[in-house]
């Protein structure tokens, strides 16, 4: 409205605020562009994947392959729930960042953004130097059955694969890293949220469920999750 009906000074102020908003959010956009262009780079630097090594680490730590062992507790309802938890990776970070920004806690937003970008870019280094496709492909012939849900699993499974630019982005688990950073900053700025007594526990439960889902849904090796936690702490 200020651009259409305001004075020249108010119009110029509105333009400056819009440009500042673009500037503040541009690093996230650039980060997505970098991810979309990693496909050729990771094949050029290391043509083969290191899934065999990651699988041996999992075997040494647990004595079994976690994704194979988890078949004994698989249930369609649990699978659907964990699919939903897995998708919160795409929901909670932008909500938290947007809430901080539009509540004018810009310094908090920038600190959150910096932690996220450190995590993302170091994670991209991991994708390039330790490429892995994950147990869903590496162990595909060893599963007794395919995962199935009642309503959601295949729909969400297709969405996940449609947004995945290249299937070599397992180590470290960015779902684990970014969700951990988000949970940390949600706790730090919890007083800014209405109904925080409800929001914080719900987000915490869904975040822990997300961590578990990365292995249960066969997307990640367990060591990917450990690396994601370590990267989140550093970030």
């Amino acid at each position: 409205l200020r651009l259409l009906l305001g004075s020249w000074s108010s119009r110029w102020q509105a333009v400056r605020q819009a440009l500042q908003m673009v500037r503040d959010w541009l690093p996230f956009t650039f980060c997505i562009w970098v991810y979309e262009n990693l496909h050729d780079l990771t094949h050029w630097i290391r043509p083969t994947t290191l899934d065999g090594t990651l699988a041996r680490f999992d075997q040494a730590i647990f004595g079994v392959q976690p994704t194979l062992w988890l078949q004994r507790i698989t249930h369609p309802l649990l699978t659907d729930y964990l699919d939903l938890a897995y998708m919160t990776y795409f929901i909670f970070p932008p909500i938290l960042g947007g809430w901080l920004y539009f509540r004018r806690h810009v310094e908090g937003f920038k600190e959150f953004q910096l932690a996220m970008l450190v995590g993302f870019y170091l994670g991209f280094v991991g994708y390039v130097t330790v490429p892995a496709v994950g147990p869903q492909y590496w162990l595909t012939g060893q599963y007794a059955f395919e995962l199935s849900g009642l309503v959601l699993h295949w729909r969400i499974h297709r969405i996940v694969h449609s947004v995945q630019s290249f299937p070599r982005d397992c180590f470290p688990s960015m779902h684990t890293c970014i969700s951990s950073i988000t949970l940390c900053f949600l706790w730090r700025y919890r007083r800014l949220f209405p109904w925080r007594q409800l929001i914080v526990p719900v987000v915490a439960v869904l975040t822990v469920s997300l961590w578990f889902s990365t292995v249960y849904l066969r997307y990640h090796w367990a060591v990917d999750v450990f690396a994601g936690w370590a990267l989140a702490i550093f970030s």
Side-chain angles (χ1 to χ4, degrees):
L1 288 176
R2 281 191 295 169
L3 287 173
L4 297 175
L5 304 176
S7 64
W8 282 109
S9 61
S10 64
R11 290 180 184 181
W12 175 240
Q13 184 180 7
V15 170
R16 290 183 60 186
Q17 289 176 345
L19 292 175
Q20 181 179 348
M21 184 182 300
V22 171
R23 182 200 65 187
D24 290 341
W25 286 87
L26 189 60
F28 279 133
T29 306
F30 183 75
C31 184
I32 295 172
W33 178 85
V34 171
Y35 172 76
E36 293 295 331
N37 287 274
L38 280 177
H39 182 277
D40 294 335
L41 183 62
T42 183
H43 281 275
W44 177 68
I45 292 178
R46 188 181 288 274
T48 59
T49 68
L50 295 177
D51 289 276
T53 301
L54 300 177
R56 286 192 290 273
F57 273 116
D58 273 14
Q59 186 75 33
I61 294 170
F62 297 99
V64 295
Q65 285 299 324
T67 59
L68 295 175
W69 185 90
L70 286 171
Q71 291 180 111
R72 65 190 65 193
I73 67 167
T74 300
H75 189 277
L77 278 175
L78 179 60
T79 302
D80 275 353
Y81 166 71
L82 291 175
D83 274 307
L84 282 174
Y86 189 82
M87 292 299 289
T88 62
Y89 167 80
F90 302 102
I91 299 171
F92 290 160
I95 288 178
L96 177 58
W99 185 263
L100 290 174
Y101 192 83
F102 292 107
R103 287 291 301 271
R104 300 186 182 279
H105 289 271
V106 179
E107 292 305 315
F109 165 80
K110 290 182 177 179
E111 187 179 5
F112 175 57
Q113 182 187 66
L114 179 59
M116 294 266 287
L117 293 176
V118 169
F120 272 124
Y121 284 117
L122 290 180
F124 294 164
V125 173
Y127 292 170
V128 172
T129 57
V130 190
V133 297
Q136 63 176 328
Y137 298 115
W138 189 260
L139 300 176
T140 185
Q142 300 185 42
Y143 294 113
F145 50 83
E146 293 289 330
L147 291 174
S148 63
L150 294 179
V151 178
L152 300 174
H153 174 66
W154 285 113
R155 292 178 174 86
I156 293 178
H157 190 67
R158 284 195 295 269
I159 292 172
V160 170
H161 283 272
S162 68
V163 301
Q164 186 180 42
S165 293
F166 59 101
R168 293 158 63 93
D169 56 349
C170 285
F171 185 92
S173 168
M174 295 309 298
H175 270 68
T176 301
C177 174
I178 297 304
S179 65
S180 300
I181 292 172
T182 302
L183 184 60
C184 174
F185 276 87
L186 174 64
W187 177 256
R188 181 178 298 180
Y189 293 103
R190 63 191 181 279
R191 297 186 184 279
L192 301 179
F193 283 83
W195 309 302
R196 57 182 175 272
Q197 294 85 353
L198 174 64
I199 290 175
V200 173
V202 168
V203 172
V205 169
L206 286 171
T207 300
V208 173
S209 300
L210 183 156
W211 299 337
F212 179 68
S213 75
T214 59
V215 178
Y216 176 96
L217 297 172
R218 305 172 182 175
Y219 293 133
H220 285 283
W221 307 101
V223 290
D224 301 341
V225 178
F226 299 154
W229 283 329
L231 181 54
I233 292 169
F234 177 81
S235 298

